[in-house]
Amino acid sequence: MIYPQHFEQKTGFDTIRRLLRETCTNPLALALIEQISFSASFAEIHRALTETEEFRQILLFDRGFPNQETYDLTPELKRLRIEGTYLNVDALFNLKSSLGSIFDCLDFFKRTASRKFPLLSARSSLIKPDVSIIRRIDAIMDDKGRIRDTASVRLGEIRRELAIQMAEVGKRVQQVLRKAKSSGWAEKDVEPTIRNGRLVIPVGASHKRKLKGFIHDESATGSTVYIEPDEVFETNNAIRESELEERREIIRILIEFASYLRPQLEELQSAYQYMGYIDFLRAKARLAINTEGRMPVLRNKPALDWVEARHPLLYLSHTAQKKSVVPLNIKLDNTERILVISGPNAGGKSVCLKTIGLMQYMVQCGLLIPLQETSEVGIFSKLFIDIGDEQSLENDLSTYSSHLYNMRHFLEHVDENSLFLIDEFGVGTEPQAGGAIAESILSRINLKMAYGVVTTHYANLKLMAEKHPGIMNGAMLFDQTKMEPLYILQTGKPGSSFAFEIARKIGFEEGLLAEAAEKTGRTQLDFEEELHKLESEKRGLREQTQKFKMADDFLEETINKYEQLKREIEVKKKEILEKARVEARKIVDEANRVIEKTIKDIKESQADKEKTRIARDILQKKSDELVAEDIKVQQIEEMNSEKSLKKAAPTTPQQASPPKKPQSNPVSEHSKQQNPVIDPLVKQGDMVRLNGQSGVGVVELIKGKEAVVAFGSVRLKCLYEKLVKASSADMKQSSSLRPPSMYGKYLDEMQSKLEEYRLTIDLRGKRAEEALTELRKYIDDAVLLDIFEVRILHGKGDGILRQLVREHLSNVDEVKEYRDEALERGGHGITVVKFR
């Protein structure tokens, strides 16, 4: 539903329709432009916009699309339904030319991948005219539009006879002409000419009786007559008969071709309708290019979220004058549905209103509009406007009466799917009464959950945002220094009319302005200032509330994460400690068994030196093996302790205490040597090992209490206090073969993870929860592996997944920045992330 009836004239859509007509050449396309109408069907609007966007892409980036003019032969094809009718020679030539354009267009979409232009390719696949029609026409007609001599055997014979007859006539006429010239009846330089389809000789009027023949014509002055000599009269008659026979044969050929064509008329008419639609789409795409129209994100609900919207007609006008248009940013949703715009006169309020009305109407008519592609455009089932002076002498309506009449219509018909636009709400009568009535009307409309934008100067309407949920204020900004409007809409606060400031700039004397201020009263003058202050405080409070809510949500999520992590650590801790105790018992039992066996062997050998030496060697070898096992157990317990302290209580790190050493164990002294006092003089470039570890690495960086150590191709960040300067024995032991330590396994796992890590993750087609889970793990791995830059492929689509990704990235401290990929490598469909 559109109100009022002249909605298109009020918003300027009639000019848009005229611009579309000017770019069309096909009569069928012109008819489609006249049929453009408002639609509330999401599927219909989305298809129309997408097809137009596909054609816009063709015009911008694909130069191979055929650009020939097409004819509308549907009236001729309809006439062919009657038996015995035929296409004349000109219509047949137009059929040949236009069919060539149709097949070129169909071949274009057949060659291009359907994924590139899916809707237009699908529409083209339904059009299937018979290619043999062109071959049949080629057999009848040449490229110049002349029926070929070979179109039929009889036609060839007739034309050969005609050629012989005409040659004979020419020969005889030349003979008579030479005689007339020699006799002085004709001028020396005259040549035979054609009159009434006959070859004649120009003869002086005074000699016309001397040359026997038929006079066909005379010159304008009457001094020359054109005579057909008797010698060629009969031959010319024969030629005339042959020409009539030729015409009859051509008509017979055309009737025969029409009979061949008649069964295919339905397919041909569909093809011509298709070409009319293609020309219609071309006109819409050209308009979009000229106005920088884009395909917005379409929502199947009432809503507006426009970014950098520009009035199309104003854009064309300003571009011609080499001026820029200030873009409009506006958002209406189910919580803030009605925007009350205030501000100075000539500040752009009415232009803002007309921009919204025209562009929303264009979208629901299937036209692309000039705004950012990320903008969201909803669907409204009803559009209402009240703009300009509607007084009517015929209906005896004043300006205010016409406004009230419109308001009554609004109140009767608006609902939650309506968009209404009211300019200068409440003007036209006594201000106090007009403002009160306007406030009551707006309150009732708000209760009906309608969406809308109104402009006003009334203070009581500005205050409604404080008392009525769903209503918000907006202001057209004004430069108080230069005393000129900025044409920028700012939502969230009301605007001032700046009446006194504008009057002062125009040149009114200060005495007059002071007198006006005194009549107005200081209270009224201070009202807008207090209103601005109140709105600013409200906005600040809203921002703080939002920040606190985000902080609470983040804190709750962090607590839940740490609690879950702590539970997992406790479970793993019990498993690891139990395993370590079992291993320790095995080590002690094995050590005691070896010692007892060695003592027994020494006693049995009665202190034989050779046997004693062999027993000691066996004992030393086994001792070394037990030392390695002992170190492994200590490493398991120490790493478990460090994990528990770091993850469960990161704010109060404590150094893990070493495990108790077994009593009466030959390994104990060696274990003591493996845990020396930490060297406080470790500096960058030193060879070090971690306390309790045997692997040796190089210190690459020392920052505060942390250090980065390179162990081969793997870098590890650790606490500075855990580092010990490596001795020559440490380096020798590190290079020799030994059982793998827990730290070695950790390095291997890190190396494996680094090799498997991919610098791009594809989240397209995933649900929000699933995508967010994968993204969190991916970003955590990137931070762990010290990756510098990654790419997240989320696609363009409706922009929901892109927004979800960026909200998560903004909450990750390790993320340094993120941005869109370059246009040629994906643009808005890929987010590039850099880490600190």
Side-chain angles (χ1 to χ4, degrees):
M1 178 181 180
I2 302 298
Y3 180 86
Q5 292 183 350
H6 53 295
F7 184 96
E8 293 190 0
Q9 289 75 23
K10 282 289 183 182
T11 57
F13 188 80
D14 56 336
T15 304
I16 295 293
R17 202 185 292 270
R18 176 178 59 79
L19 293 174
L20 288 172
R21 284 196 297 266
E22 290 175 355
T23 58
C24 277
T25 59
N26 191 299
L28 291 171
L30 291 172
L32 289 173
I33 290 173
E34 296 305 318
Q35 294 169 14
I36 289 177
S37 60
F38 176 82
S39 172
S41 168
F42 176 82
E44 183 179 326
I45 296 170
H46 188 270
R47 183 177 186 86
L49 292 176
T50 306
E51 286 185 338
T52 306
E53 172 62 17
E54 288 183 4
F55 213 98
R56 188 181 75 91
Q57 296 292 331
I58 290 174
L59 295 182
L60 286 175
F61 305 114
D62 204 318
R63 304 298 182 187
F65 191 81
N67 198 29
Q68 303 97 326
E69 291 187 3
T70 58
Y71 303 92
D72 178 19
L73 291 181
T74 52
E76 297 288 341
L77 296 176
K78 288 180 181 178
R79 189 173 57 80
L80 279 186
R81 295 178 185 275
I82 302 173
E83 195 73 29
T85 57
Y86 62 91
L87 296 175
N88 60 37
V89 176
D90 290 338
L92 183 63
F93 184 72
N94 289 340
L95 177 66
K96 178 183 178 181
S97 301
S98 54
L99 279 178
S101 298
I102 291 172
F103 284 117
D104 287 345
C105 184
L106 295 176
D107 288 343
F108 172 84
F109 287 110
K110 190 175 181 180
R111 291 194 311 271
T112 57
S114 59
R115 60 182 175 81
K116 194 174 182 181
F117 310 115
L119 292 187
L120 292 183
S121 297
R123 183 181 288 272
S124 301
S125 67
L126 302 175
I127 309 302
K128 299 178 180 178
D130 192 348
V131 182
S132 63
I133 296 176
I134 291 185
R135 292 198 295 268
R136 189 71 177 262
I137 297 175
D138 281 336
I140 297 173
M141 178 178 285
D142 61 21
D143 293 337
K144 296 181 179 180
R146 186 174 179 271
I147 301 298
R148 297 181 187 273
D149 295 346
T150 57
S152 73
V153 176
R154 181 56 188 151
L155 182 62
E157 294 173 352
I158 293 171
R159 286 183 172 172
R160 283 191 293 273
E161 291 174 5
L162 268 172
I164 294 171
Q165 291 168 347
M166 293 181 73
E168 180 65 24
V169 169
K171 180 180 178 182
R172 291 185 181 181
V173 168
Q174 287 293 340
Q175 291 174 353
V176 174
L177 181 59
R178 283 195 297 271
K179 181 180 178 181
K181 288 180 180 180
S182 64
S183 300
W185 305 338
E187 298 292 335
K188 296 296 185 181
D189 58 347
V190 299
E191 293 295 335
T193 185
I194 301 293
R195 287 293 186 275
N196 299 325
R198 300 289 187 117
L199 198 61
V200 295
I201 297 173
V203 178
S206 59
H207 303 292
K208 64 182 178 181
R209 301 294 181 187
K210 298 176 183 178
L211 183 62
K212 293 182 180 181
F214 183 78
I215 298 176
H216 282 274
D217 198 3
E218 66 178 4
S219 64
T221 61
S223 61
T224 303
V225 294
Y226 299 94
I227 301 174
E228 179 184 6
D230 285 343
E231 289 87 343
V232 297
F233 188 78
E234 291 300 327
T235 307
N236 273 335
N237 285 340
I239 289 174
R240 181 60 178 164
E241 289 178 1
S242 295
E243 288 174 345
L244 292 174
E245 187 176 1
E246 178 190 28
R247 183 173 181 275
R248 288 193 296 271
E249 180 61 18
I250 288 174
I251 291 174
R252 187 195 67 79
I253 293 170
L254 295 176
I255 291 175
E256 182 180 346
F257 176 75
S259 299
Y260 158 77
L261 203 61
R262 196 164 285 114
Q264 305 180 59
L265 291 180
E266 293 294 337
E267 289 81 0
L268 285 174
Q269 285 188 323
S270 297
Y272 278 99
Q273 294 287 347
Y274 165 78
M275 287 306 293
Y277 189 75
I278 289 295
D279 197 39
F280 169 64
L281 284 180
R282 182 188 283 111
K284 295 204 298 180
R286 282 176 177 169
L287 177 67
I289 292 172
N290 292 337
T291 60
E292 292 196 358
R294 297 287 188 273
M295 174 72 179
V297 178
L298 197 64
R299 299 298 185 196
N300 192 14
K301 63 179 181 179
L304 287 180
D305 190 0
W306 296 359
V307 180
E308 295 188 0
R310 294 174 175 86
H311 193 289
L313 301 179
L314 192 63
Y315 175 81
L316 291 176
S317 174
H318 279 42
T319 301
Q321 301 173 40
K322 296 183 179 180
K323 297 189 327 187
S324 60
V325 178
V326 179
L328 167 69
N329 297 324
I330 183 171
K331 181 177 182 180
L332 300 179
D333 53 33
N334 56 1
T335 58
E336 293 182 324
R337 293 170 287 98
I338 299 175
L339 176 63
V340 179
I341 303 177
S342 50
N345 287 320
K349 299 190 300 296
S350 297
V351 173
C352 174
L353 209 66
K354 290 181 179 180
T355 301
I356 297 169
L358 175 60
M359 291 179 61
Q360 185 64 39
Y361 189 74
M362 287 177 65
V363 166
Q364 297 196 227
C365 286
L367 298 174
L368 302 179
I369 54 178
L371 41 58
Q372 288 294 328
E373 293 176 339
T374 55
S375 301
E376 296 185 9
V377 179
I379 303 298
F380 297 92
S381 59
K382 300 175 184 178
L383 293 183
F384 303 88
I385 62 167
D386 179 53
I387 300 175
D389 189 354
E390 294 290 338
Q391 63 177 329
S392 171
L393 297 177
E394 292 82 1
N395 298 323
D396 194 25
L397 290 176
S398 67
T399 299
Y400 187 65
S401 298
S402 66
H403 285 313
L404 289 180
Y405 183 84
N406 290 339
M407 293 306 101
R408 188 188 72 180
H409 187 87
F410 286 15
L411 287 171
E412 291 175 353
H413 295 93
V414 295
D415 56 25
E416 67 276 6
N417 294 314
S418 301
L419 176 66
F420 66 91
L421 307 170
I422 306 173
D423 193 24
E424 298 295 347
F425 198 17
V427 299
T429 187
E430 190 272 321
Q432 188 171 358
I437 294 174
E439 182 176 350
S440 298
I441 292 172
L442 191 59
S443 177
R444 292 290 183 88
I445 292 177
N446 183 41
L447 292 176
K448 293 194 173 188
M449 308 300 288
Y451 293 72
V453 179
V454 301
T455 66
T456 186
H457 290 287
Y458 289 159
N460 62 318
L461 297 183
K462 301 177 188 179
L463 290 173
M464 289 187 69
E466 298 296 325
K467 299 181 291 184
H468 299 273
I471 300 178
M472 61 176 168
N473 278 313
M476 301 306 297
L477 298 185
F478 189 83
D479 189 334
Q480 298 186 47
T481 304
K482 299 180 179 179
M483 285 294 123
E484 61 183 27
L486 299 175
Y487 306 108
I488 299 174
L489 173 64
Q490 183 180 35
T491 57
K493 69 176 184 178
S496 172
S497 298
F498 293 99
F500 286 90
E501 290 83 351
I502 294 174
R504 185 172 290 108
K505 182 184 179 184
I506 291 174
F508 281 88
E509 60 182 65
E510 288 296 331
L512 184 145
L513 296 177
E515 182 181 345
E518 185 177 348
K519 291 179 180 293
T520 303
R522 188 65 214 173
T523 303
Q524 179 64 27
L525 292 176
D526 289 342
F527 173 76
E528 289 187 351
E529 183 179 346
E530 292 297 327
L531 192 61
H532 280 300
K533 183 177 179 182
L534 178 63
E535 193 66 34
S536 178
E537 292 176 355
K538 177 185 175 184
R539 185 175 182 181
L541 181 61
R542 189 185 299 116
E543 291 177 355
Q544 289 296 326
T545 303
Q546 184 67 20
K547 288 181 180 179
F548 287 140
K549 183 178 183 303
M550 292 175 62
D552 288 343
D553 293 342
F554 177 76
L555 182 60
E556 183 180 358
E557 181 182 357
T558 304
I559 291 174
N560 292 336
K561 185 188 298 185
Y562 275 111
E563 287 181 350
Q564 181 180 358
L565 190 61
K566 184 178 179 182
R567 288 192 295 269
E568 293 175 357
I569 289 174
E570 288 296 330
V571 173
K572 290 182 179 180
K573 177 182 178 181
K574 291 180 180 178
E575 295 176 355
I576 293 173
L577 288 177
E578 181 62 29
K579 184 177 180 181
R581 280 193 288 270
V582 172
E583 293 293 333
R585 283 195 296 270
K586 288 182 179 179
I587 291 173
V588 172
D589 293 343
E590 181 68 16
N592 291 332
R593 187 185 65 79
V594 170
I595 292 171
E596 289 174 359
K597 184 176 183 303
T598 302
I599 294 172
K600 180 181 177 183
D601 291 343
I602 292 174
K603 287 181 178 180
E604 289 178 353
S605 64
Q606 295 180 353
D608 183 90
K609 291 183 179 181
E610 182 62 23
K611 290 185 178 181
T612 301
R613 184 185 62 78
I614 293 173
R616 285 177 177 174
D617 290 344
I618 294 173
L619 179 60
Q620 182 62 42
K621 183 178 179 181
K622 195 63 180 177
S623 175
D624 292 340
E625 292 177 359
L626 293 177
V627 165
E629 292 295 330
D630 182 39
I631 292 172
K632 182 177 179 181
V633 173
Q634 292 183 40
Q635 289 171 347
I636 291 173
E637 292 182 354
E638 183 174 355
M639 289 185 69
N640 176 69
S641 177
E642 289 178 357
K643 284 184 179 180
S644 300
L645 291 172
K646 287 182 180 179
K647 294 184 178 179
T651 56
T652 56
Q654 295 178 1
Q655 187 173 348
S657 57
K660 294 181 179 180
K661 291 175 281 188
Q663 301 295 328
S664 64
N665 191 337
V667 183
S668 59
E669 290 300 321
H670 187 80
S671 299
K672 184 176 180 180
Q673 294 174 7
Q674 293 293 320
N675 293 278
V677 178
I678 297 168
D679 190 345
L681 300 179
V682 172
K683 60 183 181 298
Q684 188 171 333
D686 287 350
M687 302 295 291
V688 297
R689 60 181 177 82
L690 289 175
N691 183 23
Q693 308 296 327
S694 57
V696 176
V698 180
V699 178
E700 289 192 346
L701 178 66
I702 299 176
K703 186 175 182 181
K705 296 182 178 180
E706 295 182 337
V708 176
V709 183
F711 293 91
S713 61
V714 178
R715 289 166 176 77
L716 182 66
K717 184 186 290 186
C718 60
L719 293 175
Y720 175 78
E721 61 185 14
K722 293 290 184 180
L723 300 181
V724 180
K725 273 191 176 182
S727 63
S728 56
D730 291 331
M731 286 187 266
K732 182 177 180 180
Q733 182 180 358
S734 176
S735 61
S736 64
L737 293 176
R738 55 185 174 81
S741 67
M742 187 60 117
Y743 175 68
K745 290 182 180 180
Y746 173 75
L747 293 180
D748 292 340
E749 289 176 2
M750 290 290 290
Q751 183 67 25
S752 176
K753 185 183 287 289
L754 185 62
E755 292 173 354
E756 295 175 0
Y757 192 85
R758 296 292 177 264
L759 297 180
T760 300
I761 183 172
D762 190 351
L763 302 179
R764 292 178 297 178
K766 302 184 184 297
R767 291 180 287 109
E769 184 178 351
E770 180 184 2
L772 190 57
T773 301
E774 289 193 20
L775 179 64
R776 285 172 176 165
K777 183 179 183 304
Y778 183 77
I779 295 299
D780 289 345
D781 288 345
V783 174
L784 179 65
L785 297 174
D786 199 21
I787 302 296
F788 174 71
E789 183 180 282
V790 298
R791 284 167 173 76
I792 302 171
L793 179 57
H794 43 66
K796 297 180 181 178
D798 293 338
I800 297 174
L801 199 55
R802 178 176 180 269
Q803 182 180 357
L804 184 70
V805 167
R806 299 207 166 188
E807 286 178 355
H808 177 72
L809 294 175
S810 63
N811 293 325
V812 179
D813 293 336
E814 288 80 5
V815 172
K816 181 180 180 181
E817 64 177 24
Y818 55 87
R819 56 175 173 80
D820 289 337
E821 179 59 281
L823 184 61
E824 64 273 11
R825 294 196 292 271
H828 297 317
I830 300 176
T831 294
V832 179
V833 185
K834 289 187 177 181
F835 296 91
R836 300 186 189 281

